[in-house]
Amino acid sequence: MPLYDNAPTLILDQLRRIADGERVGIVEIGELTVSQFAELVRQKREMGHEPPASRMLVYLGRHHYDSRVRKDGYLPCDLVRQLEAALASTSVIETHRHMTAVVSTSDRDDGHGNKVRDRAILELQARKPRAEVYSVVPKRDFIRPKKQQSP
């Protein structure tokens, strides 16, 4: 599994500190598998882009928190599940002109009435040589927690 054993604890602590208004630094949460990394390198070279030099994944969490907790109403534990699903060893690499992602290959019950496919968006320039997991998009989350709470 690409996430380190202690990654859920690190991620939850990071998100708690963000919620408390603290400034946080990046944390190392895992690595791409050898085959995921090889595919990422292949796709980046095919596009004429410089591939990352390391399989390591780091996480800041601020954008992920703002998008999924503040905007959509998810809980921090939901964000951990998103990361676990998107960064599974069975996930695939998708590279487009302006976006690189690690995408789950199986549906996940998000606990809010949806079957989602989680897509971890990678930032490959800011934390060289490591890839930063910038955010996760739970695709097909038609019913978001915030909508469930609205009158």
Side-chain angles (χ1 to χ4, degrees), residues 55-143:
R55 293 175 35 213
M56 183 176 291
L57 298 170
V58 298
Y59 181 74
L60 183 62
R62 189 165 309 283
H63 182 76
H64 192 199
Y65 183 87
D66 288 343
S67 297
R68 303 297 156 245
V69 174
R70 288 194 174 120
K71 181 179 163 222
D72 293 342
Y74 286 102
L75 298 172
C77 59
D78 292 323
L79 275 59
V80 171
R81 286 192 285 276
Q82 292 171 1
L83 285 159
E84 288 173 333
L87 300 174
S89 59
T90 55
S91 295
V92 296
I93 301 295
E94 279 189 15
T95 303
H96 303 280
R97 182 170 165 84
H98 296 290
M99 188 266 313
T100 302
V102 185
V103 183
S104 175
T105 56
S106 58
D107 291 344
R108 176 180 66 83
D109 182 343
D110 73 349
H112 303 283
N114 303 294
K115 296 288 186 191
V116 297
R117 292 264 174 120
D118 297 288
R119 174 184 302 258
I121 308 303
L122 302 181
E123 163 54 55
L124 301 177
Q125 300 300 312
R127 313 286 180 197
K128 281 185 174 182
R130 304 164 297 182
E132 177 185 351
V133 181
Y134 187 67
S135 190
V136 179
V137 178
K139 288 295 198 179
R140 302 187 308 216
D141 65 336
F142 304 113
I143 304 167

